[in-house]
Structures are given as C-alpha cells and as structure tokens.
Amino acid sequence: MLVEDAIALVPSIPGRRALLGMAGAPAAGKSTLARRLVHGVNARLGADMAAYVPMDGFHLSNAQLARLGRAGRKGAPDTFDVDGYVHLLRRLRSSHERPVYVPEFDRRLEEPIAAGLVVLPQVRLIITEGNYLADDGPGWEAVRDLLDELWFVDAPRAVRERRLLRRHIRGGRSEPEAHAFIASSERPNADRVEAARANCNRVVTTRE
C-alpha cells in the first residue's frame, strides 16, 4: 500500500521529480521505511527511479559541535546544517542533468560523510527523511515548501526508546550513559518533533 502511494507521486512528465519527506521522532523507523520504499519503487518501475536522501547527513561534525558547545545536545535542531539541507533539496528539484552527491551519516563513526550517496539524473522520486522536516523553527520552515508530500512516521515511545538504547550501546555508550542521553536529549527532541505532527499530510505507524 505505501509503495503504491509512493509510486503515485512519481511525475508523469519526463524530466520532473517528486520529493517525499518523512518526519518523525528519533528511532521511529524513518530510515528503514524510506529505504524500503525506495527499494519497492525501484523494483516496480526500474532501477534508479527512486533515491534515498537522509537529513542526518547534515549533522554538524563532532569538531563543530565541540566548538559551539553543543556536543551534549547532538540531534537537536541547531546541531544540523539546515541551510545546507534546504539548498540540497532545491538543487535536487532543479538539477536533472548531472549526478548530485549527498552526504550521509555514519553511526559507527558518529560523523557525517561527504558524498556518501548519489542521486543519478534519471531519478524521478526522492525520499528524504529526518526528525525536523515538519518543524517551524528558523531554517526548517523552508523544508515543507520543497516537498510534494510529508508523512509523519510514528512509533510508541517505549518502542522508540528500546531502539535508541540499542543504538547508543552499539555506538559505544554504556547502558547508564545511554539512558542518560535519552532522557536529556532524545526525549526533548522527540517532544519537539511530535509538536509538528499536524504539519504532515498523513501518519504512518511502525512497530517492532
């Protein structure tokens, strides 16, 4: 059903692109769903008709977070390069003749990686996801106007926090450190994301 809805967004006019955004709290399942939809669209319409573009590639580096005194708040809206992300979305809408290289986020390194992904000229549907695509804060409010549709990906808090706990332990934090970071950073970020739910076109719920 969701693959069919994504396919329906693919422009019928050659040379045009559609952008589908997915907002949601940390560990709601946005990246997993986005990748599945890209795979499903490509399986139906042909290779490289859809591409995945994560907002997380615009995390500020750990060096910049340390410089700004925001290392303990990593994941908050002001720990991303929102202007760079908005510029990329505009470029993806207007550029169809050459590949567009896209940064991605490496969870093992906890750092963004330049040109980790590529959007090829033939791509007709771009699926982008991140916490703050529906946000009304400075810079973020420009995102919605660049998207054809914006879905809110939801999951119960208990499910999200179990996923976050596993994620942070795999990333090198001890269990007490992971619980502390979830309480001090991830929960407030999730509350902010939830507050923007009404800015989305539909809600998609994921579960374990």
Side-chain angles (χ1 to χ4, degrees):
M1 174 65 175
L2 293 177
V3 171
E4 296 289 342
D5 292 343
I7 288 173
L9 294 174
V10 175
S12 58
I13 301 173
R16 292 194 179 176
R17 279 183 178 150
L19 273 68
L20 169 60
M22 296 186 180
K30 302 180 297 298
S31 61
T32 298
L33 177 58
R35 288 188 181 100
R36 286 176 178 169
L37 288 179
V38 167
H39 177 78
V41 171
N42 286 336
R44 288 280 303 278
L45 300 184
D48 299 320
M49 290 295 287
Y52 171 60
V53 173
M55 184 201 84
D56 275 0
F58 290 88
H59 268 284
L60 296 180
S61 69
N62 290 333
Q64 294 302 323
L65 292 175
R67 181 183 66 84
L68 294 166
R70 301 175 190 171
R73 300 175 51 254
K74 190 170 186 172
D78 62 347
T79 65
F80 291 88
D81 175 16
V82 60
D83 294 327
Y85 178 60
V86 168
H87 177 76
L88 173 68
L89 295 181
R90 288 179 177 144
R91 185 180 173 200
L92 290 170
R93 272 218 173 275
S94 62
S95 177
H96 304 86
E97 297 178 357
R98 300 172 63 185
V100 176
Y101 293 95
V102 175
E104 66 175 335
F105 188 72
D106 190 319
R107 293 199 179 278
R108 294 169 298 175
L109 299 175
E110 283 291 304
E111 291 277 15
I113 304 296
L117 300 170
V118 62
V119 176
L120 297 173
Q122 63 266 36
V123 167
R124 304 279 297 286
L125 175 66
I126 292 163
I127 301 180
T128 184
E129 54 82 16
N131 295 350
Y132 303 113
L133 274 60
D135 199 87
D136 289 318
W140 297 105
E141 82 285 354
V143 172
R144 293 198 303 278
D145 288 340
L146 295 167
L147 303 175
D148 293 273
E149 280 198 14
L150 177 56
W151 298 357
F152 190 88
V153 182
D154 195 18
R157 172 169 283 193
V159 172
R160 289 191 283 103
E161 293 198 354
R162 282 199 298 272
R163 293 171 179 168
L164 286 169
L165 184 63
R166 291 196 297 267
R167 178 185 296 176
H168 290 311
I169 290 173
R170 285 198 302 267
R173 287 187 171 95
S174 68
E175 186 167 338
E177 288 171 339
H179 279 295
F181 187 76
I182 290 168
S184 66
S185 182
E186 304 280 26
R187 281 181 196 154
N189 293 341
D191 290 342
R192 176 164 179 160
V193 172
E194 291 280 348
R197 176 193 293 249
N199 291 332
C200 299
N201 301 104
R202 69 185 292 180
V203 176
V204 178
T205 301
T206 67
R207 300 188 184 276
E208 294 244 60

